[in-house]
Amino acid sequence: IYFGFHFVENYKKNEVEKWKLEAAVKEAELRALKSQMNPHFIFNCLNNLRGLIIEDPERAQTVVTQLASILRYSLQAGDTETVTLEEELQTVSDYLALEAVRLEERLQVKMDIDPASLKIPVPAMLVQTLVENGIKYGVATLPKGGEISLKSQVNASTLKIQVTN
């Protein structure tokens, strides 16, 4: 009985340690995802900005503000696990505006956001990353471009976010 009891106790301790380790790995992966800001995106923004400074100085100022907003959000995302969907969508809107400078009429955006979903917490940079991938691997690869569609809805207290390209 003594050995059986200690075997079960050790098994439970090992199981708890295993779950703690897995949680730590997932947390590290989430932190790494949050800290990623695609250098190619920043490079493109700066190149586009260089052209806008001469062509359209007011728009260049707007682009600088949007880029600064995204960079600030990206830095703050490393310190927090969740943000409201509304905060995340503001960053997505800034991101889409910056990509529209590069892709011009090749990028079409359609948003259908349920107002009830705006205050729901989501992982920081989650939606932005999905939209970025939709543009990078979908819209930008097509000669005629395409559409990014973003939809949110709440059903039975479950948030559903759909990003399509």
Side-chain angles (χ1 to χ4, degrees):
I1 293 175
Y2 174 80
F3 290 114
F5 175 77
H6 282 289
F7 175 77
V8 170
E9 283 295 310
N10 285 336
Y11 178 78
K12 286 181 184 179
K13 285 180 185 177
N14 288 337
E15 196 68 21
V16 167
E17 289 300 316
K18 178 181 133 187
W19 288 111
K20 284 181 181 179
L21 182 60
E22 286 183 22
V25 167
K26 292 294 180 192
E27 185 178 325
E29 288 173 352
L30 182 58
R31 252 187 274 120
L33 177 63
K34 287 179 185 178
S35 68
Q36 288 180 350
M37 178 54 70
N38 188 340
H40 191 68
F41 165 72
I42 295 171
F43 176 75
N44 284 338
C45 283
L46 292 174
N47 275 335
N48 292 331
L49 183 58
R50 186 186 67 203
L52 282 176
I53 289 171
I54 295 169
E55 293 175 20
D56 190 349
E58 286 183 30
R59 190 168 182 206
Q61 288 179 343
T62 301
V63 167
V64 168
T65 302
Q66 290 167 327
L67 181 58
S69 176
I70 290 174
L71 292 173
R72 184 180 317 106
Y73 181 81
S74 177
L75 290 171
Q76 292 171 346
D79 296 334
T80 182
E81 288 187 26
T82 62
V83 295
T84 64
L85 181 60
E86 186 173 25
E87 292 172 288
E88 181 76 1
L89 290 177
Q90 179 57 53
T91 297
V92 168
S93 294
D94 287 340
Y95 175 80
L96 288 168
L98 293 174
E99 285 292 8
V101 172
R102 179 173 68 99
L103 298 170
E104 297 174 338
E105 69 279 347
R106 293 180 52 222
L107 175 61
Q108 302 300 315
V109 178
K110 180 180 171 187
M111 288 194 179
D112 181 15
I113 306 301
D114 181 354
S117 67
L118 293 176
K119 298 301 179 195
I120 296 176
V122 296
M125 301 296 286
L126 173 74
V127 180
Q128 190 277 336
T129 302
L130 294 173
V131 169
E132 183 177 352
N133 283 340
I135 291 173
K136 183 177 179 181
Y137 298 110
V139 175
T141 63
L142 302 172
K144 291 186 178 183
E147 178 182 88
I148 290 290
S149 175
L150 179 57
K151 182 178 181 179
S152 75
Q153 62 187 43
V154 179
N155 291 326
S157 61
T158 299
L159 174 62
K160 179 181 178 184
I161 300 172
Q162 182 177 354
V163 177
T164 56
N165 64 303

